[in-house]
Amino acid sequence: MALMKFLFPPSLFVTATSLASFTLMASSGLSELRGKNLEYSKFFNIGSKASDVEKSKLKLPSRIAMATLYTPAFLAGVSSFAIFPDENLRFLLLKSTISIHFFKRVLESCFLHKYSGEMGLDTMIVILSSYFISSALVIFNQHLTVGLPEPPIDLTNPGILLFSIGIMGNFYHHYLLCKLRSQGPNKEYKIPKGGLFGFVICPHYLFEVLVFWGFAFISQTLFSFAYAMGTTFYLLGRSSATRKWYLSKFEDFPMNVKAMIPFLF
């Protein structure tokens, strides 16, 4: 099988967790496409559609919720240095990139992003659990490769490149969003401009996808590839929902601006 030239041979456990991860993430992306959106950011309690039960749910300030939901995944990355101290360079790179990415997201949530709403506790728990469990499984599945023959085709260097481009592009477009919402007396949404916002409404999602494919290329396990593919499907669905939201709010929204992939989607 051609794919096995790029992957460590998967065990039954790796195969099962990979299938579960991809299925859950892809299903979430499909739900986003169908309009059943996770309630955070601009999709929190949308207008009059929110029922009294939904409005009575326990909520947290978005800054606290966002920083909290990334923290366990960051701690999973950092703690892996102590749990698995004597591993190879590939494993060291994987642990480092996971830790760097989620530490960046914690810092952005605390100090960069501008917020105008809240997040439901249940939504925060769902996202927190997904990031933490998936990150822990990426690391643990990598540990299971110790002693196995290396894949015939080494993707470590392309993975480092993808991760680097992804994390820089993701930060830059988060900065542009922050700068946009800092202008004026309030923090209302505006049509983003600059960078790749002239081509897609969610370039920060595009670059986040590159980060996760960076993990996958560095790791070269079936689980990391399944997780990256599932994340891609989820963010495609979320970006499509975001584009529809902008179209409904702004009459002057440019129709040529796609959701996440320039010129294509």
Side-chain angles (χ1 to χ4, degrees), residues 122-236:
D122 55 344
T123 299
M124 186 198 76
I125 292 173
V126 168
I127 301 173
L128 180 155
S129 300
S130 175
Y131 278 133
F132 172 67
I133 293 171
S134 297
S135 298
L137 283 173
V138 167
I139 293 167
F140 181 69
N141 283 331
Q142 195 67 38
H143 171 67
L144 296 179
T145 67
V146 174
L148 295 178
E150 286 281 326
I153 299 176
D154 186 2
L155 298 178
T156 304
N157 289 332
I160 295 171
L161 179 61
L162 280 177
F163 173 80
S164 301
I165 294 172
I167 201 165
M168 289 187 292
N170 181 256
F171 172 78
Y172 175 64
H173 288 90
H174 281 161
Y175 169 74
L176 291 179
L177 287 172
C178 164
K179 187 177 179 182
L180 180 70
R181 296 192 68 191
S182 297
Q183 297 171 353
N186 52 45
K187 298 175 183 177
E188 65 184 10
Y189 285 99
K190 305 177 181 69
I191 299 175
K193 297 179 181 178
L196 292 184
F197 282 114
F199 300 93
V200 292
I201 197 59
C202 294
H204 48 306
Y205 287 174
L206 173 62
F207 285 103
E208 186 164 3
V209 164
L210 294 184
V211 167
F212 282 88
W213 280 105
F215 295 158
F217 278 31
I218 292 170
S219 172
Q220 292 190 240
T221 64
L222 180 62
F223 183 86
S224 64
F225 269 68
Y227 182 37
M229 184 63 73
T231 299
T232 302
F233 274 89
Y234 171 70
L235 290 178
L236 282 171

Side-chain angles (χ1 to χ4, degrees), residues 42-58:
K42 56 184 66 65
F43 296 102
F44 178 73
N45 279 357
I46 300 177
S48 60
K49 293 192 294 182
S51 67
D52 291 339
V53 174
E54 289 173 324
K55 291 177 180 178
S56 67
K57 290 190 299 187
L58 184 60

